[in-house]
Amino acid sequence: MADSKKDWYLLYCKGKEELRALTNLKNQGIESFYPTMKVEKKVRNKLTCCKVAVFPNYLFVEIDKQTANFNSIRSTRGVIDFVKCGATYINVPAALIADLKSKQ
């Protein structure tokens, strides 16, 4: 029996719809991650702290390549497609995701 090993993949999302895609993916039971960071901006001569995307238009998802329904994920509202190299989906190292999560 094959081990079900989950890997992280990168999704390209529609502009300003990353949170919509994140919500819809979580409703489907898919582990997803949208890295943000706090930035101070000057608005009307006052410094305000707000969250901005580290990678605008991109989300990370953790799925099992053997059992996941890639068509369902691609057709999720807010998602355009997986980031690919040719016809191959690009894996994101788990160490990178862990590092991004630790810095939030």
Side-chain angles (χ1 to χ4, degrees):
M1 183 181 272
D3 292 333
S4 64
K5 182 180 176 278
K6 290 189 173 185
D7 293 316
W8 285 95
Y9 295 91
L10 188 59
L11 288 177
Y12 184 63
C13 298
K14 294 178 183 176
K16 307 289 184 196
E17 291 194 21
E18 300 95 343
L19 294 177
R20 179 185 214 180
L22 183 74
T23 303
N24 289 321
L25 288 166
K26 287 193 179 189
N27 288 341
Q28 295 177 42
I30 297 170
E31 175 73 24
S32 49
F33 175 56
Y34 179 56
T36 58
M37 64 181 175
K38 290 183 181 179
V39 175
E40 286 187 346
K41 289 186 177 182
K42 196 170 189 179
V43 178
R44 296 185 193 130
N45 291 331
K46 287 187 179 183
L47 281 178
T48 58
C49 192
C50 60
K51 284 188 173 185
V52 295
V54 176
F55 308 109
N57 296 356
Y58 291 94
L59 282 177
F60 297 97
V61 291
E62 185 180 30
I63 54 177
D64 182 6
K65 189 175 183 178
Q66 303 299 322
T67 61
N69 186 349
F70 283 82
N71 290 330
S72 173
I73 296 169
R74 276 198 311 265
S75 64
T76 301
R77 286 180 163 254
V79 174
I80 293 176
D81 202 356
F82 283 88
V83 175
K84 299 182 265 187
C85 182
T88 309
Y89 298 120
I90 302 298
N91 286 12
V92 178
L96 175 66
I97 301 297
D99 191 37
L100 288 171
K101 283 185 175 183
S102 71
K103 294 186 190 295
Q104 276 200 325

